[in-house]
């Protein structure tokens, strides 16, 4: 079955409280997707944002992002008064998320809601269902608060090394904050379950990202330190990154700790199975970020200032993939197989059966034929106009060389009446890929101001773009539906 969808993170939705949430705007967007004939809503990770406000650098691979909790829903439930969230200055630009304001103000309102909350059977059931990760995460966040937000490696040694007596004392001393953290997760997952259920009822599946790595400053590493390549002081011996290439002479130094894949294998990859089981509870399809890292990963000596002196090290390969498929046979995956793809990586992707990714923006290099030209796509693939790490289509046409633009125009038959952006969308829609996904920014024909992320940079522009009120109009839905139907991708009506 041919399908199409739209990539737009929840934070990019409009709304009154500084960031897109799981409230009425999200439900309105689901209605928009349905009217536009789309089958898929692709989002970025829903976990709490950490360093650089990135959803790919989270304090937990299991927890939900408190910023996404809809405050109006808490008002309706009597946990907040209508005037309380409205009295807060959430920032002056409705087109940008102000993470600084969220950091300062969100917690105050959620603490206030917690003070008015009465635990019930549903709350107790939630705690029991999530007992594998929730107590450790809540303690981790409580201790971060107790230690002024410092990374766990800077905590007092008994806590850093997880000595049992120290943990017992901390649980007692931080009981109130631990309760608050559990309450926040309860509210997040209640709201997300309702929103996802609404999307599914409209025939729309959710694609969500699972980053391959977790940050050093996370509950995952603090608790599961034996599963990472750390020394006796719990510091990394090697960190993750990418090798030098034509775009970055020093490579990319991500800094994430790297898994001890031998230790992972000895446990039957139990941590990963738990992580993906949790992901299956959040998404209908999982996009495996940096899939090539399962075949071989770039390991950089800890302490290096660049990724230049790293080396390729064999990953878990098919043994890991087969373990995942045995444990979660019903969960669908997409392999993010972009970047330096060797024959070994391609073999692993094909062996997995997971569809790979094709990015239309990568196709039109006038100097050589690209693997990303639509006539080369396999049917079992996902065609993207671009991802959250790429320029928008308008920006691509604004910045591409004259030769590359001429190539795209000739290949796609672009014309003035249709416009370059919609012509490129048509080219992706017409590909044989089973699934086509475009960024919302491309349907809105927005330029560089709407780019979601600039990889390898810390920028106030990263992750902050928000759509304007009324972006999801019936007129636009009708236009998207027309091109979707033209190429046989309309979702089946429920």
């Amino acid at each position: 079955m041919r399908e199409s969808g739209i990539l737009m993170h929840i934070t990019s939705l409009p709304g009154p409280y500084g960031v897109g949430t799981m409230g009425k705007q999200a439900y309105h967007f689901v209605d928009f997707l349905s009217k536009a004939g789309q089958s898929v809503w692709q989002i970025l990770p829903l976990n709490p944002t950490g360093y650089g406000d990135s959803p790919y650098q989270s304090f937990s691979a299991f927890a939900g992002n408190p910023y996404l909790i809809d405050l109006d829903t808490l008002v309706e439930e009597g946990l907040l008064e209508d005037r309380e969230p409205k009295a807060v200055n959430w920032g002056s630009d409705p087109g940008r998320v102000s993470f600084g304001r969220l950091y300062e103000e969100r917690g105050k309102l959620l603490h206030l809601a917690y003070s008015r909350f009465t635990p019930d059977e549903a709350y107790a059931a939630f705690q029991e269902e999530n007992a594998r990760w929730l107590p450790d995460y809540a303690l981790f966040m409580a201790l971060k608060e107790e230690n002024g937000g410092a990374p766990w490696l800077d905590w007092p040694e008994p806590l850093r090394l997880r000595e049992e007596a120290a943990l017992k004392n901390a649980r007692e001393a931080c009981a109130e904050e631990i309760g608050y953290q559990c309450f926040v997760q309860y509210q997040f997952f209640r709201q997300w379950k309702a929103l996802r259920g609404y999307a599914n009822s409209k025939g729309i599946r959710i694609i969500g990202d699972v980053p391959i790595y977790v940050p050093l400053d996370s509950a995952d590493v603090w608790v599961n330190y034996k599963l990472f390549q750390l020394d006796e002081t719990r510091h990394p011996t090697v960190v993750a990154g990418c090798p030098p290439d034509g775009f970055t002479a020093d490579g990319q130094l991500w800094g994430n700790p790297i898994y001890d894949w031998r230790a992972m294998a000895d446990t039957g990859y139990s941590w990963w199975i738990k992580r993906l089981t949790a992901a299956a509870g959040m998404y209908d399809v999982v996009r495996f970020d940096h899939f090539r890292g399962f075949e071989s990963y770039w390991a950089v000596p800890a302490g290096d200032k660049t990724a230049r002196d790293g080396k390729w090290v064999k990953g878990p390969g098919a043994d890991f993939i087969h373990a995942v498929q045995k444990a979660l046979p019903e969960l669908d995956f997409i392999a993010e197989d972009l970047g330096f793809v060797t024959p070994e990586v391609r073999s692993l992707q094909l062996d997995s059966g997971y569809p790979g990714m094709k990015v239309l923006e990568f196709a039109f290099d006038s100097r050589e034929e690209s693997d990303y030209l639509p006539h080369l796509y396999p049917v079992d693939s996902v065609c993207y106009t671009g991802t959250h790490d790429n320029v928008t289509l308008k920006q691509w046409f604004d910045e591409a060389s004259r030769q590359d633009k001429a190539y795209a125009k000739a290949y796609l038959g672009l014309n003035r009446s249709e416009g370059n952006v919609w012509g490129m969308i048509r080219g992706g829609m017409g590909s044989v890929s089973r699934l086509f996904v475009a960024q919302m920014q491309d349907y809105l024909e927005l330029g560089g101001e709407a780019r979601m992320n600039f990889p390898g940079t810390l920028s106030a522009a990263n992750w902050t773009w928000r759509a304007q009120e009324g972006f999801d109009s019936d007129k636009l839905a009708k236009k998207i539906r027309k091109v979707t139907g033209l190429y046989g991708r309309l979702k089946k009506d429920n």
Side-chain angles (χ1 to χ4, degrees):
M1 184 177 70
R2 290 167 61 77
E3 298 180 291
S4 69
I6 295 178
L7 168 58
M8 184 180 191
H9 195 37
I10 295 174
T11 58
S12 294
L13 292 167
Y17 305 129
V19 68
T21 71
M22 299 179 285
K24 64 179 182 180
Q25 289 287 357
Y27 286 81
H28 193 276
F29 185 62
V30 169
D31 292 339
F32 169 81
L33 290 169
S34 183
K35 292 174 187 175
Q38 304 303 289
S39 306
V40 163
W41 179 8
Q42 181 163 340
I43 57 177
L44 305 185
L46 293 177
N47 310 112
T49 49
Y51 182 68
D53 304 312
S54 170
Y56 293 85
Q57 296 288 335
S58 177
F59 294 129
S60 170
F62 296 83
N65 187 348
Y67 293 161
L68 303 181
I69 294 172
D70 181 55
L71 300 179
D72 285 334
T73 300
L74 299 184
V75 170
E76 293 169 5
E77 294 175 352
L79 298 176
L80 291 176
E81 295 180 15
D82 185 57
R83 61 179 176 82
E84 289 168 339
K86 291 179 178 178
V88 175
N89 173 13
W90 295 106
S92 59
D93 185 356
R96 290 286 170 188
V97 178
S98 175
F99 284 105
R101 299 303 303 163
L102 290 174
Y103 181 80
E104 291 293 330
E105 303 294 344
R106 262 278 167 157
K108 297 175 186 176
L109 287 169
L110 293 176
H111 270 97
L112 189 59
Y114 174 57
S115 71
R116 298 165 178 165
F117 174 69
T118 301
D120 54 16
E121 289 184 4
Y123 180 61
F126 170 79
Q127 289 183 299
E128 184 176 349
E129 290 166 6
N130 295 277
R132 287 183 171 182
W133 65 269
L134 183 59
D136 286 323
Y137 168 76
L139 176 60
F140 175 84
M141 295 303 292
L143 287 171
K144 280 192 76 69
E145 180 72 18
E146 183 75 12
N147 287 276
W152 65 268
L153 279 171
D154 294 340
W155 296 351
E157 185 171 298
L159 292 172
R160 178 168 58 84
L161 299 181
R162 294 183 54 82
E163 295 177 5
E164 191 52 49
L167 294 179
K168 182 176 183 296
N169 291 337
R171 291 186 189 101
E172 295 172 356
C174 300
E176 180 68 16
E177 183 66 15
I178 289 171
Y180 162 74
Q181 294 292 340
C182 292
F183 161 80
V184 167
Q185 291 305 305
Y186 174 62
Q187 295 299 334
F188 171 89
F189 281 101
R190 284 181 69 219
Q191 291 191 10
W192 175 245
K193 182 179 180 181
L195 177 58
R196 180 187 172 190
Y198 183 75
N200 290 167
S201 76
K202 295 282 187 175
I204 294 164
R205 295 179 300 151
I206 305 292
I207 297 178
D209 259 8
V210 169
I212 185 172
Y213 293 121
V214 296
L216 178 60
D217 188 27
S218 65
D220 306 294
V221 181
W222 180 58
V223 174
N224 303 286
Y225 58 91
K226 293 180 180 178
L227 300 178
F228 295 83
Q229 297 184 48
L230 309 179
D231 63 22
E232 64 278 2
T233 68
R234 310 278 165 91
H235 288 77
T237 55
V238 290
V239 296
C242 278
D245 57 24
F247 300 99
T248 53
D250 289 330
Q252 295 182 35
L253 184 63
W254 301 339
N256 303 75
I258 296 177
Y259 303 108
D260 183 336
W261 284 111
R262 182 173 296 177
M264 285 279 188
D266 288 344
T267 68
Y269 305 102
S270 63
W271 180 85
W272 265 102
I273 300 302
K274 291 172 187 174
R275 182 186 188 186
L276 293 172
T277 300
M282 298 174 77
Y283 314 123
D284 301 299
V285 182
V286 165
R287 191 190 83 134
F288 255 142
D289 183 55
H290 197 61
F291 181 84
R292 73 103 52 242
F294 295 118
E295 192 284 320
S296 292
Y297 56 87
W298 190 249
V300 183
D304 279 16
K305 301 302 182 185
T306 75
R308 185 182 292 273
D309 293 328
K311 64 178 181 179
W312 287 111
V313 180
K314 278 293 181 183
D319 186 55
F320 169 72
I321 298 299
H322 294 161
V324 168
Q325 291 173 330
K326 181 178 179 181
L328 297 161
E330 302 301 319
L331 183 57
D332 292 329
F333 290 91
I334 296 169
E336 188 272 286
D337 55 349
L338 307 176
F340 181 58
V341 178
T342 64
E344 292 81 7
V345 175
R346 181 61 64 221
S347 177
L348 180 64
Q349 181 258 319
L350 292 173
D351 178 64
S352 73
Y354 304 153
M357 291 175 53
K358 301 296 180 182
V359 178
L360 204 51
E361 287 181 353
F362 296 171
F364 303 107
D365 187 335
S366 57
R367 297 165 298 180
E368 60 184 4
E369 186 174 272
S370 166
D371 291 341
Y372 294 98
L373 287 165
H375 71 270
L376 298 174
Y377 294 175
V379 171
D380 198 18
S381 64
V382 183
C383 173
Y384 289 82
T385 52
T387 75
H388 62 276
D389 283 334
N390 303 131
V391 298
T392 66
L393 287 183
K394 182 179 184 301
Q395 186 181 7
W396 187 88
F397 279 103
D398 288 343
E399 298 177 356
S401 71
R402 180 173 55 84
Q403 293 86 351
D404 289 358
K405 285 188 282 190
Y407 187 11
K409 288 178 181 180
Y411 184 95
L412 296 169
L414 303 181
N415 60 80
R416 183 170 296 179
S417 62
E418 179 183 41
N420 290 336
V421 169
W422 279 86
M424 206 159 184
I425 288 171
R426 170 177 52 78
M429 280 279 192
S431 73
V432 299
S433 297
R434 293 190 193 279
L435 174 61
F436 168 76
V437 177
Q439 292 194 91
M440 192 68 232
Q441 294 95 312
D442 292 335
Y443 283 120
L444 296 171
E445 299 184 72
L446 298 176
E449 75 284 356
R451 182 172 178 172
M452 193 62 171
N453 182 48
F454 297 76
T457 70
L458 284 176
S459 166
N462 287 349
W463 317 113
T464 60
W465 175 75
R466 296 183 73 194
Q468 300 296 314
E469 292 282 352
F471 80 99
D472 47 355
S473 66
D474 287 347
K475 181 180 179 180
L476 180 57
K478 186 176 180 180
K479 187 175 182 180
I480 296 171
R481 187 180 187 92
K482 183 177 180 180
V483 69
T484 304
L486 183 64
Y487 290 102
R489 295 185 181 276
L490 286 177
K491 79 172 179 69
K492 295 180 180 179
D493 290 330
N494 286 24

